[in-house]
Amino acid sequence: NAGVTQTPKFQVLKTGQSMTLQCAQDMNHEYMSWYRQDPGMGLRLIHYSVGAGITDQGEVPNGYNVSRSTTEDFPLRLLSAAPSQTSVYFCASSQKMGASPLHFGNGTRLTVT
Amino acid sequence: AQSVTQLGSHVSVSEGALVLLRCNYSSSVPPYLFWYVQYPNQGLQLLLKYTTGATLVKGINGFEAEFKKSETSFHLTKPSAHMSDAAEYFCAVTLGGSQGNLIFGKGTKLSVKP
């Protein structure tokens, strides 16, 4: 099983550029989420989804958009990249929100110059 | 508001020594609690979780944690550290019981000295 697959692994953007971070899971999980990890800050929730067609904001949603057209895919869009969005981004999924453990992808390291 | 506090951003132990990583939480409802481990350049992996039932939870790689409601704590322990345990460890709690998102602590980096 592939589990949670994130692409790309690395990305460098210039300020103002846009891009989409891809996330796909093959476990038929209802719940999917995006976190960003910054040194000394732990993981902070950006957006999440409890099923196809349903998304909601997390703790740090500004500057990011998501959509969930299928159960498998949950892309994260940066609308106009800023240096403050330099981070490592993790996609995670679980059977259900809350009690089920999260399965994480290997992350995307994004640098915005 | 829900929160998770991990005491000590860095912990260093000798190989064979006890590992103790501290986690305290605040929650207005009965929490679900998790410990995750992150090895360099990888995603997070589940070590163990507490949802209901027995308060002493055993996880992978010899780790265990005890849920103490009176102390609002969920500390992670391992009797004897191995070099391979060097990693960053994250405590997490659900927001709003079984319906909430996971809130993570800031992490504790564990170093193991030979």
Side-chain angles (χ1 to χ4, degrees):
Chain A
N1 273 346
V4 179
T5 303
Q6 289 184 239
T7 56
K9 288 190 174 182
F10 302 94
Q11 184 70 50
V12 179
L13 291 178
K14 293 187 188 312
T15 298
Q17 289 184 316
S18 62
M19 79 159 295
T20 299
L21 279 62
Q22 300 293 344
C23 175
Q25 54 92 5
D26 62 358
M27 297 171 283
N28 201 32
H29 284 170
E30 286 186 3
Y31 178 81
M32 295 186 75
S33 55
W34 278 101
Y35 287 87
R36 60 176 290 173
Q37 182 179 24
D38 302 290
M41 301 292 289
L43 279 81
R44 292 180 292 168
L45 183 65
I46 305 172
H47 284 286
Y48 66 96
S49 168
V50 296
I54 306 168
T55 63
D56 207 344
Q57 296 181 351
E59 180 187 355
V60 288
N62 292 341
Y64 307 95
N65 271 358
V66 291
S67 60
R68 184 100 180 265
S69 55
T70 67
T71 299
E72 295 78 19
D73 299 301
F74 191 46
L76 178 72
R77 296 182 186 83
L78 279 70
L79 308 173
S80 176
S84 60
Q85 294 179 303
T86 293
S87 187
V88 180
Y89 291 84
F90 287 100
C91 180
S93 72
S94 67
Q95 283 188 316
K96 293 210 181 278
M97 189 182 192
S100 303
L102 287 175
H103 297 254
F104 282 84
N106 284 330
T108 295
R109 187 174 294 273
L110 175 68
T111 302
V112 183
T113 61
Chain B
Q2 235 84 346
S3 71
V4 180
T5 302
Q6 291 185 240
L7 297 176
S9 57
H10 288 88
V11 170
S12 181
V13 301
S14 296
E15 193 172 20
L18 171 71
V19 176
L20 171 60
L21 304 182
R22 299 178 187 273
C23 174
N24 289 88
Y25 68 91
S26 67
S27 174
S28 57
V29 298
Y32 291 167
L33 297 157
F34 302 79
W35 276 100
Y36 286 84
V37 60
Q38 184 181 33
Y39 298 102
N41 300 314
Q42 293 186 24
L44 281 70
Q45 302 172 33
L46 179 70
L47 266 181
L48 50 78
K49 67 173 183 177
Y50 168 80
T51 52
T52 58
T55 56
L56 182 62
V57 181
K58 295 188 185 298
I60 62 171
N61 301 337
F63 284 93
E64 62 183 35
E66 187 171 11
F67 169 55
K68 292 188 176 180
K69 185 178 178 182
S70 61
E71 299 177 8
T72 61
S73 69
F74 191 57
H75 302 330
L76 182 71
T77 60
K78 182 174 181 178
S80 176
H82 293 178
M83 297 296 292
S84 60
D85 294 328
E88 191 157 19
Y89 293 80
F90 293 92
C91 182
V93 62
T94 56
L95 179 70
S98 63
Q99 296 302 311
N101 290 296
L102 269 187
I103 305 298
F104 283 86
K106 294 186 177 182
T108 298
K109 189 163 288 189
L110 175 67
S111 301
V112 182
K113 298 175 291 188

